[in-house]
Amino acid sequence: MAAEVMLMNEIEATAAQVGIDMNIDFSSIQLPPGENCGIISDDDDVYHDDQLEFDSGFGNVIVVDNLPVVPREKFEKLEGVIRKIYSQIGVIKEDGLWMPVDPETKKTLGYCFIEYNTPQEAELAKEKTHGYKLDRAHIFAVNMFDDFDKYMKVPDEWAPPEIKPYTPGENLQKWLADEKARDQFVIRAGTDTEVLWNDARQSKTEPVYKRTYWTESFVQWSPMGTYLATVHRQGAAVWGGANTFNRLMRYAHPQVKLIDFSPGEKFLVTYSSHEPSNPRDANRVVINIFDVRTGKMMRDFKGSADEFAVGGAGGVAGNSWPVFRWGGGKEDKYFAKLGKNMISVYETETFSLIDKKSLKVENVVDFSWSPTDPIIALFVPELGGGNQPARVSLVQMPGKEELRQKNLFSISDCKMYWQSNGDYLAVKADRYTKTKKSTYTGFELFRIKERDIPIEVLELDNKNDKIIAFAWEPKGHRFAVIHGDNPRPDVSFYSMRSTHNLGRVAKLTTLKGKQANALFWSPGGRFIVLAGLKGFNGQLEFFNVDELETMATAEHFMATDVEWDPTGRYVATSVTSVHEMENGFNIWSFNGKLLYRILKDHFFQFLWRPRPPSFLTPEKEEEIARNLKKYSKKYEAEDQDVSMLLSEQDREKRRMLKEEWEKWVSEWRRAQEEEKLERQKLRDGEASDEEEEYEAKEVEVEEVLDVSEEVLSFEE
Amino acid sequence: MRLITGSADQTVKLWNVQTGAQLYTFNFGSPARSVDFSVGDKLAVITTDPFMELTSAIHVKRIARDPTEQTEESELVIKGPQGRINRAVWGPLNRTIVSAGEDAVIRIWDSETGKLLREADKESGHKKTITSLTKSADGSHFLTGSLDKSAKLWDTRSLTLIKTYVTERPVNAVAMSPLLDHVVLGGGQDASAVTTTDHRAGKFEAKFFDKILQEEIGGVKGHFGPINALAFNPDGKSFSSGGEDGYVRLHHFDPDYFNIKI
């Protein structure tokens, strides 16, 4: 083991060798002024005005009013009752219960103070006991201690608020108007977060904005790409701007873990989970919903983790995020959460339950919204050992009318998939066989937009095949399924509009024996990437579903993620730090040509910046498609120019490199010549030139092995 | 014609190449890591590993013309660098010694006094262990390979960084073509650090780079373990590679190689 510590005299020896003076005059050193020595901390602006809320130290205290006024004899009894009630909610700190007494009357004053260990417990106690009827005459009025201070400070005279002059904001959508029609993406590697342009023409990226420690855990785009959200200890923040990323708004939520935007970007939902003071209780969950633009908290939800556990895909064990699912399309009208035997649907006018009550559905385990219409699809599993069959229901909001219902028999599990336009709903139903020993899968296909919502049942050619993946074609009428029990499963494509009979689903084709376990449709449909992630180590097949033919097969060794850009022109595959090596990402064209590759160690995230939906009407889009040649001529000319410019730049760069090299070579030649005489001396006068230091000579060596004499008889 | 070899058995031996006879053995207190003859073959520079209380060191030995007159004593011993010194070679005219090793810093020493003359710039130099070093035919420049997945070309006299070649794997061995302006890098991740193996066997390649443009030209696959050693045939028409897989591969270039143009 090499000695890690260098001896002082060795240090001095080295210093002497290199010519460094070891004597430092400390008094002559002057540090730059300021507490931070002139070095601006990266987080300065983040922490700067965070201390607005100073900690009063009384955040864990509540005041309980409207208690009975009792004489000394009854002190203990009353205290006991109060302690019993409030100990159920949290752990009262030692000596945390104080009932003040009137010194004159010697009776209690009718209120008491209770101190818990955490502000969360205090708030929970306030919520749960405010309005509690001890008896007819005494209804608890409970408040946070700090609130008294806050309300006392309200001035008596009303003064009209100051009107601030209007400062127009930046154009947050500016990136969409990029002349070269490029898309952006954000990557996180190591401690850096960077937003880059994908410049496929030049086969490289172009930086937009980079920042170290921009986020403390992860980043997330808003659904239409306007904001980039970062997550920190104190809460979340969103960033955006015309040409760069400025912090637009902050949302306070200590220890936030997860966030979710509403589809129209109006609201931001933040989630945190806290350890309870009593370890046997479930975690305490806090969910806040903020208005994105103003930063105002519209509503908060607090409760134990049990109330927010979501069944269905996430399983009963943990929470699956998001807890609140948004419905009704881009208008962000409704959000709903799964509860025990109910679905609580809220609307965003008042942030309260529609009709002030939840939708009661006995035993509901899963639900999902249509992506475009305010319709909820919910699943209720089988009950009573088959007495009550499982069912899928479609319920319209806000009226809560049931639009359609289907009973399903012998169901073991169920999963729901909506098509992106809300045109179709596929319900994957795993059914028990008659013996109940195994399951087979079938699909119930709902045609939402047709009258009476017809349902069709689809079974695979081989009913027993396990379903590995399912995906609707975005904006289209087709879907893809990966199925099979072989190490190399099959991929089948179906269409909801078969050629002869528009009303029936039909199979388009089955591709056999593919190394695929994940499906990635292009956002515009028509093309799909069949990816073999995890065990298949990054196999990729780019498939054209219109023509039903493979465009290219490729590989990104150890790829963990695949994501299409929002326009459907490019595919990004990446290897994240799940793996130790080969971290980084590849950019491919839609038909499978590798455009460029960037390696980055400790790679965590790659996210394309989403685009808002197009403002063009379908007719206008058709017109452009028809006249594409006219538009493309202009771009082809531009492309030519760029490629010529590129090769010109390239040539110039090479020329310079070669010129620089020539300088070195001639320098070396000169030095060699100068030193030639010296070298000869070192070789004892041998004049041989270095280049031919040795000569390969073929030498024939004859070695006498044996001599033997044999006398032959000479016959005449 | 003499051969000098260094070994982990803590000795350095001199051999007669034609007969294979051992001529002399130098003994050291720790494994010998690198050996190099000076111009004129009268001196040799040897590096030894850190071992127990001994730090790594660079030894200069005088090599007698007549092996019977060979002595054990060192002309010069240089200490200082931390960690292993993987390679030490003679500079032009034997005036300097160039060393590189685990601490990622290339140093130039005066071969007579042992004084440290130069150190490579920390900013632009290697960031991890330098595993290999090879000189150009005329000794005017040399190439270093490092576990930081890059190889760098330096001017021997001034220790100026001239070129950098970036690759995807840690570099264990480097070689320069004596004929064309090509450099070759060989390496690969140590098996202990890999969690999934590349299912395509034979994927470890010796990567060829254009020396001047720093761009990758191509690779020669075949080894199914990391490459640890590379050497060009002095006529430049073939090269050999040795790997962790226990194989030495000899590659002869086909005519197209000599016509490569980027």
Side-chain angles (χ1 to χ4, degrees):
Chain A
M1 183 101 85
E4 296 299 310
V5 178
M6 276 184 92
L7 301 168
M8 192 59 204
N9 46 7
E10 281 187 30
I11 298 174
E12 282 170 358
T14 311
Q17 277 177 351
V18 197
I20 293 174
D21 180 6
M22 285 283 288
N23 300 313
I24 307 170
D25 176 10
F26 286 105
S27 57
S28 71
I29 296 176
Q30 278 196 325
L31 293 172
E35 210 184 60
N36 51 8
C37 291
I39 301 167
I40 303 183
S41 150
D42 245 348
D43 297 328
D44 251 359
D45 48 359
V46 172
Y47 286 122
H48 182 38
D49 36 22
D50 239 22
Q51 305 311 319
L52 287 181
E53 293 175 32
F54 48 88
D55 198 359
S56 66
F58 292 113
N60 316 346
V61 179
I62 52 171
V63 183
V64 184
D65 204 357
N66 287 346
L67 295 177
V69 172
V70 299
R72 183 175 289 147
E73 306 89 63
K74 302 260 178 73
F75 279 5
E76 266 191 52
K77 186 163 177 214
L78 178 58
E79 203 175 305
V81 168
I82 295 180
R83 197 178 277 281
K84 191 161 157 211
I85 295 171
Y86 282 91
S87 297
Q88 284 176 13
I89 300 166
V91 174
I92 303 178
K93 237 170 132 161
E94 188 141 340
D95 290 335
L97 171 60
W98 178 45
M99 259 198 317
V101 174
D102 187 329
E104 286 179 13
T105 66
K106 302 280 196 267
K107 293 193 183 165
T108 61
L109 284 170
Y111 53 87
C112 74
F113 299 90
I114 302 183
E115 184 177 359
Y116 286 100
N117 284 307
T118 65
Q120 286 89 350
E121 281 168 292
E123 293 204 26
L124 187 59
K126 167 190 148 193
E127 274 170 44
K128 288 215 154 43
T129 62
H130 179 69
Y132 174 75
K133 275 201 195 141
L134 187 62
D135 57 40
R136 233 178 337 129
H138 297 99
I139 302 176
F140 285 6
V142 188
N143 285 289
M144 301 300 296
F145 183 87
D146 282 336
D147 282 348
F148 281 96
D149 199 39
K150 188 168 81 173
Y151 291 119
M152 297 276 279
K153 288 217 174 99
V154 175
D156 287 332
E157 290 284 321
W158 176 79
E162 228 179 79
I163 298 183
K164 285 190 269 200
Y166 173 65
T167 45
E170 284 183 40
N171 177 3
L172 301 177
Q173 260 78 30
K174 186 112 183 281
W175 99 93
L176 294 169
D178 179 51
E179 273 181 11
K180 303 181 205 165
R182 298 170 298 178
D183 277 287
Q184 292 183 352
F185 55 86
V186 67
I187 52 173
R188 241 178 9 101
T191 51
D192 289 340
T193 306
E194 283 180 75
V195 178
L196 303 159
W197 289 107
N198 168 29
D199 200 322
R201 222 192 236 162
Q202 295 191 54
S203 296
K204 66 180 178 82
T205 59
E206 201 183 288
V208 177
Y209 186 77
K210 174 174 165 166
R211 202 166 148 142
T212 311
Y213 297 119
W214 195 352
T215 181
E216 282 177 43
S217 53
F218 60 91
V219 291
Q220 199 170 312
W221 291 108
S222 60
M224 299 202 285
T226 313
Y227 310 103
L228 181 68
T230 56
V231 176
H232 311 269
R233 243 179 310 129
Q234 316 96 302
V238 295
W239 307 69
N243 296 314
T244 182
F245 284 85
N246 301 312
R247 192 178 61 203
L248 299 171
M249 187 51 66
R250 277 188 295 162
Y251 313 94
H253 186 151
Q255 299 179 53
V256 57
K257 285 268 142 33
L258 300 167
I259 61 173
D260 184 40
F261 279 95
S262 65
E265 297 183 340
K266 286 210 194 75
F267 305 107
L268 177 68
V269 186
T270 55
Y271 162 97
S272 64
S273 170
H274 307 269
E275 300 237 323
S277 38
N278 182 351
R280 268 179 295 145
D281 285 338
N283 276 1
R284 196 145 150 64
V285 164
V286 177
I287 295 181
N288 294 329
I289 306 186
F290 296 92
D291 177 299
V292 171
R293 278 191 321 136
T294 63
K296 175 169 159 214
M297 176 154 80
M298 307 306 290
R299 166 100 201 222
D300 61 357
F301 292 87
K302 291 178 175 139
S304 96
D306 300 333
E307 293 164 47
F308 294 97
V310 177
V316 191
N319 294 344
S320 103
W321 181 253
V323 163
F324 287 104
R325 303 177 195 175
W326 293 88
K330 301 259 173 290
E331 286 160 51
D332 297 343
K333 270 208 181 136
Y334 308 107
F335 57 98
K337 130 174 128 68
L338 189 66
K340 202 156 159 57
N341 296 325
M342 67 170 102
I343 298 176
S344 307
V345 189
Y346 301 81
E347 45 82 17
T348 52
E349 291 285 314
T350 62
F351 275 86
S352 56
L353 290 166
I354 297 180
D355 296 338
K356 299 260 189 291
K357 55 183 163 71
S358 299
L359 176 67
K360 294 232 181 314
V361 184
E362 194 83 12
N363 287 307
V364 62
V365 298
D366 196 14
F367 81 96
S368 67
W369 287 98
S370 153
T372 44
D373 305 290
I375 300 176
I376 291 180
L378 55 90
F379 170 65
V380 177
E382 194 172 279
L383 271 185
N387 286 346
Q388 204 181 326
R391 77 169 194 283
V392 170
S393 261
L394 293 176
V395 180
Q396 167 98 45
M397 288 293 140
K400 303 183 187 169
E401 307 101 29
E402 192 177 62
L403 297 174
R404 194 72 164 88
Q405 198 222 91
K406 171 121 193 236
N407 285 333
L408 304 164
F409 298 88
S410 295
I411 294 287
S412 76
D413 193 23
C414 176
K415 228 175 140 171
M416 297 183 280
Y417 302 92
W418 282 93
Q419 183 256 20
S420 71
N421 289 351
D423 292 337
Y424 309 108
L425 170 70
V427 176
K428 175 174 83 89
D430 296 326
R431 290 192 154 91
Y432 288 112
T433 52
K434 285 211 176 63
T435 57
K436 291 242 167 183
K437 285 206 188 129
S438 61
T439 59
Y440 64 96
T441 313
F443 293 94
E444 310 282 323
L445 302 166
F446 291 63
R447 288 168 197 275
I448 307 290
K449 300 277 164 75
E450 288 180 35
R451 198 159 69 96
D452 294 334
I453 306 184
I455 306 175
E456 216 180 318
V457 180
L458 171 72
E459 267 169 15
L460 298 174
D461 290 346
N462 184 352
K463 287 200 306 190
N464 294 315
D465 273 356
K466 192 170 73 140
I467 306 282
I468 295 164
F470 174 99
W472 282 105
E473 177 187 15
K475 303 186 188 156
H477 55 89
R478 294 173 286 204
F479 60 89
V481 191
I482 304 183
H483 56 98
D485 299 301
N486 296 331
R488 291 195 185 195
D490 299 337
V491 183
S492 293
F493 291 89
Y494 292 82
S495 165
M496 295 297 279
R497 295 186 217 150
S498 52
T499 41
H500 8 269
N501 186 346
L502 280 180
R504 296 206 42 84
V505 64
K507 184 165 83 158
L508 298 170
T509 185
T510 296
L511 307 173
K512 294 225 155 257
K514 289 290 172 188
Q515 288 179 301
N517 50 22
L519 299 163
F520 298 94
W521 281 97
S522 159
R526 296 180 61 200
F527 307 104
I528 189 171
V529 172
L530 309 174
L533 304 175
K534 298 194 184 153
F536 289 114
N537 283 333
Q539 297 301 318
L540 305 164
E541 184 167 333
F542 293 76
F543 190 78
N544 180 332
V545 186
D546 284 344
E547 310 287 324
L548 292 178
E549 61 181 22
T550 303
M551 298 185 285
T553 46
E555 183 181 10
H556 183 173
F557 186 55
M558 297 215 275
T560 54
D561 299 82
V562 178
E563 198 187 346
W564 282 85
D565 83 324
T567 61
R569 291 177 297 172
Y570 306 106
V571 180
T573 55
S574 49
V575 178
T576 57
S577 64
V578 167
H579 294 293
E580 210 185 285
M581 285 194 63
E582 311 258 352
N583 276 205
F585 61 93
N586 287 6
I587 303 287
W588 311 77
S589 67
F590 78 100
N591 52 0
K593 177 166 156 218
L594 178 62
L595 299 173
Y596 60 94
R597 173 172 157 87
I598 307 255
L599 290 173
K600 276 215 188 273
D601 276 339
H602 308 296
F603 197 67
F604 298 115
Q605 282 182 284
F606 179 104
L607 296 171
W608 286 103
R609 185 171 193 173
R611 281 181 180 250
S614 163
F615 286 120
L616 298 173
T617 60
E619 293 82 27
K620 185 81 178 137
E621 285 191 1
E622 263 187 53
E623 189 211 312
I624 294 175
R626 267 183 281 129
N627 293 322
L628 203 52
K629 271 214 181 54
K630 188 169 56 146
Y631 295 106
S632 57
K633 265 213 188 61
K634 163 169 160 250
Y635 296 111
E636 264 166 35
E638 269 181 37
D639 277 344
Q640 276 283 55
D641 287 340
V642 172
S643 59
M644 284 219 318
L645 179 63
L646 267 185
S647 43
E648 185 51 49
Q649 281 177 345
D650 232 9
R651 272 197 291 269
E652 180 59 29
K653 196 167 67 159
R654 288 191 180 184
R655 204 184 49 78
M656 281 192 22
L657 282 173
K658 289 229 158 85
E659 228 177 66
E660 199 185 47
W661 183 254
E662 281 309 308
K663 280 206 206 103
W664 278 109
V665 172
S666 56
E667 172 66 33
W668 290 327
R669 226 172 281 173
R670 190 189 57 79
Q672 281 294 86
E673 268 306 306
E674 274 176 20
E675 295 171 355
K676 195 169 168 147
L677 230 49
E678 275 294 319
R679 265 199 309 282
Q680 266 186 19
K681 267 197 261 169
L682 290 172
R683 291 210 177 84
D684 297 329
E686 268 186 49
S688 77
D689 224 354
E690 286 73 24
E691 274 76 4
E692 292 160 289
E693 245 175 51
Y694 82 101
E695 235 177 76
K697 262 195 310 199
E698 239 179 66
V699 174
E700 234 178 64
V701 173
E702 226 179 69
E703 210 177 283
V704 178
L705 290 170
D706 186 24
V707 179
S708 67
E709 234 178 65
E710 208 179 290
V711 178
L712 298 168
S713 53
F714 181 67
E715 280 187 11
E716 281 202 30
Chain B
M1 178 84 149
R2 239 93 60 97
L3 170 72
I4 182 169
T5 57
S7 160
D9 67 9
Q10 306 188 359
T11 66
V12 166
K13 291 178 188 281
L14 290 169
W15 311 75
N16 179 321
V17 174
Q18 271 152 319
T19 64
Q22 269 191 51
L23 298 173
Y24 191 79
T25 302
F26 294 95
N27 288 294
F28 293 94
S30 62
R33 179 65 50 183
S34 143
V35 291
D36 190 34
F37 274 119
S38 64
V39 176
D41 303 337
K42 291 198 191 136
L43 297 163
V45 65
I46 296 158
T47 68
T48 48
D49 278 357
F51 187 68
M52 303 229 271
E53 311 88 44
L54 292 172
T55 55
S56 49
I58 302 170
H59 311 255
V60 176
K61 303 272 189 200
R62 190 159 284 286
I63 309 291
R65 267 275 173 265
D66 180 351
T68 56
E69 286 172 26
Q70 183 65 51
T71 57
E72 173 85 36
E73 54 184 67
S74 304
E75 290 274 303
L76 178 68
V77 178
I78 303 173
K79 293 190 190 177
Q82 294 284 61
R84 274 199 204 148
I85 305 173
N86 282 324
R87 205 74 179 96
V89 297
W90 292 94
L93 296 180
N94 303 336
R95 292 201 189 127
T96 53
I97 293 172
V98 183
S99 75
E102 254 182 340
D103 67 0
V105 180
I106 302 167
R107 296 186 175 81
I108 300 196
W109 313 81
D110 182 308
S111 59
E112 278 185 40
T113 65
K115 179 164 167 231
L116 176 64
L117 296 172
R118 272 185 230 280
E119 269 190 7
D121 173 48
K122 275 233 153 48
E123 277 296 303
S124 55
H126 282 296
K127 301 288 179 292
K128 286 195 186 170
T129 300
I130 299 175
T131 50
S132 43
L133 189 157
T134 184
K135 290 189 281 189
S136 67
D138 63 357
S140 57
H141 53 285
F142 64 92
L143 180 66
T144 52
S146 162
L147 295 183
D148 68 4
K149 302 182 190 166
S150 76
K152 291 179 189 280
L153 193 74
W154 310 78
D155 171 81
T156 321
R157 293 177 177 95
S158 63
L159 201 47
T160 314
L161 175 62
I162 305 175
K163 298 282 176 193
T164 302
Y165 311 94
V166 179
T167 179
E168 291 174 14
R169 303 259 167 108
V171 178
N172 295 336
V174 291
M176 272 195 269
S177 167
L179 207 58
L180 302 177
D181 284 326
H182 293 166
V183 303
V184 191
L185 312 187
Q189 189 80 346
D190 199 3
S192 58
V194 178
T195 45
T196 51
T197 38
D198 195 326
H199 68 269
R200 306 155 290 180
K203 258 292 169 161
F204 291 88
E205 36 183 332
K207 296 218 180 203
F208 279 70
F209 284 75
D210 183 298
K211 194 160 158 184
I212 306 171
L213 302 175
Q214 294 171 141
E215 285 170 30
E216 198 179 311
I217 306 174
V220 177
K221 296 194 175 112
H223 280 288
F224 43 91
I227 295 173
N228 289 329
L230 287 168
F232 266 93
N233 183 320
D235 68 2
K237 296 187 187 159
S238 61
F239 79 101
S240 55
S241 55
E244 197 75 21
D245 55 11
Y247 284 85
V248 173
R249 301 174 75 88
L250 301 173
H251 313 260
H252 300 270
F253 296 116
D254 59 16
D256 283 337
Y257 168 76
F258 301 97
N259 300 329
I260 292 180
K261 290 246 180 302
I262 301 195

